[in-house]
Each structure stands twice: as C-alpha cells, then as structure tokens.
Amino acid sequence: GDSVTQMEGPVTLSEEAFLTINCTYTATGYPSLFWYVQYPGEGLQLLLKATKADDKGSNKGFEATYRKETTSFHLEKGSVQVSDSAVYFCALTPTNAGKSTFGDGTTLTVKP
Amino acid sequence: DAMVIQNPRYQVTQFGKPVTLSCSQTLNHNVMYWYQQKSSQAPKLLFHYYDKDFNNEADTPDNFQSRRPNTSFCFLDIRSPGLGDAAMYLCATAGLAGVGAETQYFGPGTRLLVL
C-alpha cells in the first residue's frame, strides 16, 4: 500500500536558519503530494501541494518539488521565523483522489 | 469565505456518556472525512462519505458512528466514550472530481476530553 516517510523530529532551529524537512513516499501511479501545517490546538492547514512530477509547490516562503525519480517531496524554507513553529505533515493522495496517506509529522521549533 | 466548520472546538464528556461532534461545510464538496488525531500524531481516518455513500475503515471501532443528513453537514457519534477516545477529531472535505479534487480541506478540529 501507499506510505509516506518523514524526517523524524523534533527539529529546533534559530530564527533565519534554513529549513529542510525530508519526505519520501511509496505509491503506485502518480499521486498528488501535499504539505500540511498544524499550529498548536488547531486543525491541519494546507501549506502547499504538487500534482505532477517536477511541479514545485510554494507558499509563505516554503517550497517543495515533486521528484518522481527519488520519490521525494522535501519541504524547504530559506529563513524560518518563530511563527513557523508548528507540526508539519507530508501527505499523498492517489491518482483517483482516494484516501490520503499521511506521514507521522515533524515538530519544528524556531527560537529567537 | 468557503470553509469547514467544526463545533464545538472543545467538548468534555463523561466516561460512557454518548457525545456528538458536528461538522459543516460551505464548499459544496461531495466527500467528507472524519479523522482521529492523538498528540500531534498522523491523523487516523475513521470513515468517509462519497455523497451519501458511507465508507467505514476496517479498524474503526463500532463505538464510532456517523451521519450525513445532507451535503453540508456530517456528524460523529461516539456511543460510549472511553478514556482512550480522548483526542482531537478532525473533519475534512474534498471535491469528487475535477481540478483540485485531490485536495482535502480541514476544519479546526474538536478536542474531546473524557472524564
């Protein structure tokens, strides 16, 4: 079945540091890939997505590129802020828009 | 703004006392999902609806039931909550087909506490 593997956390960075959170997946066909962010006590918010190979999703300074050759969708941000502290989930949805598969989440803490 | 709304945001119930959580959406999406999430773990799918077609996950306990009276509303009923059912419950929606159908939109969640 489908699976998503995320870089284990927690991750602690200083403000303005570079962020990478690794995500790799296993799926048949051509799934869509997502990053969701969850702030404390809140639901999941869609951060960015990519629906086909080589697409780059971007939002709020975050980026991720759909790499089919390495089955990866790593999340990056050039300069993190304290307000980026949250849990980040990588997810995929199969080609037929069926059930999504989520990674285990990575907790990011950014210190001033 | 089109959105997914969950009420209440916090719910306290007693062990064994039935409780209902509600979700509504203004996105006119065909698909609605209920997830259980514990301690910032990955959300666990309980069940979902394609329109009125109910789809239960194999490992969802019978204690959890759902109703979808119309496109906009969906309810999660926990018939006899146990201490292990304390969690965040997330509702999500998605379109059935077309551009953007692969994307799920989440509500803010209801945090359930069982005393």
Side-chain angles (χ1 to χ4, degrees):
Chain A
D2 297 345
S3 68
V4 175
T5 302
Q6 272 184 248
M7 168 178 156
E8 288 188 19
V11 174
T12 301
L13 295 173
S14 297
E15 206 164 23
E16 299 185 1
F18 184 85
L19 168 71
T20 300
I21 301 178
N22 290 338
C23 172
T24 57
Y25 69 91
T26 303
T28 55
Y30 301 94
S32 295
L33 302 174
F34 304 84
W35 278 100
Y36 287 90
V37 59
Q38 186 174 34
Y39 299 102
E42 301 291 327
L44 273 66
Q45 298 177 23
L46 178 65
L47 181 59
L48 53 84
K49 69 177 184 180
T51 57
K52 60 183 186 293
D54 300 325
D55 268 3
K56 177 186 283 189
S58 61
N59 186 25
K60 299 180 181 179
F62 291 88
E63 293 184 340
T65 301
Y66 190 142
R67 302 284 188 201
K68 188 161 180 63
E69 64 277 13
T70 55
T71 61
S72 65
F73 193 56
H74 304 322
L75 182 68
E76 296 181 338
K77 186 175 185 182
S79 177
V80 294
Q81 305 301 311
V82 173
S83 57
D84 294 327
S85 298
V87 182
Y88 293 81
F89 290 94
C90 184
L92 69 82
T93 300
T95 309
N96 62 358
K99 295 183 295 185
S100 295
T101 299
F102 289 85
D104 288 335
T106 301
T107 300
L108 171 66
T109 301
V110 180
K111 296 188 173 181
Chain B
D1 289 341
M3 56 197 304
V4 182
I5 302 162
Q6 289 189 246
N7 285 307
R9 295 292 309 276
Y10 300 90
Q11 176 73 58
V12 180
T13 190
Q14 293 178 334
F15 183 94
K17 183 175 181 180
V19 65
T20 295
L21 310 181
S22 70
C23 176
S24 63
Q25 53 123 343
T26 60
L27 297 159
N28 203 32
H29 280 164
N30 300 93
V31 191
M32 294 187 78
Y33 305 83
W34 278 106
Y35 290 90
Q36 180 191 65
Q37 187 186 29
K38 295 186 176 183
S39 302
S40 292
Q41 296 175 14
K44 178 181 181 300
L45 183 64
L46 296 173
F47 24 59
H48 66 284
Y49 283 90
Y50 283 113
D51 291 323
K52 287 190 176 293
D53 184 17
F54 177 71
N55 298 271
N56 198 33
E57 292 300 296
D59 58 353
T60 298
D62 292 340
N63 196 27
F64 291 86
Q65 304 286 318
S66 185
R67 296 170 284 135
R68 189 179 185 185
N70 53 52
T71 300
S72 300
F73 287 87
C74 194
F75 300 98
L76 169 62
D77 301 308
I78 308 176
R79 295 193 295 187
S80 181
L83 297 179
D85 296 328
M88 174 78 92
Y89 290 88
L90 298 169
C91 175
T93 73
L96 191 58
V99 175
E102 71 287 338
T103 302
Q104 293 189 28
Y105 295 89
F106 284 82
T110 294
R111 182 165 296 283
L112 177 68
L113 180 62
V114 181
L115 300 178

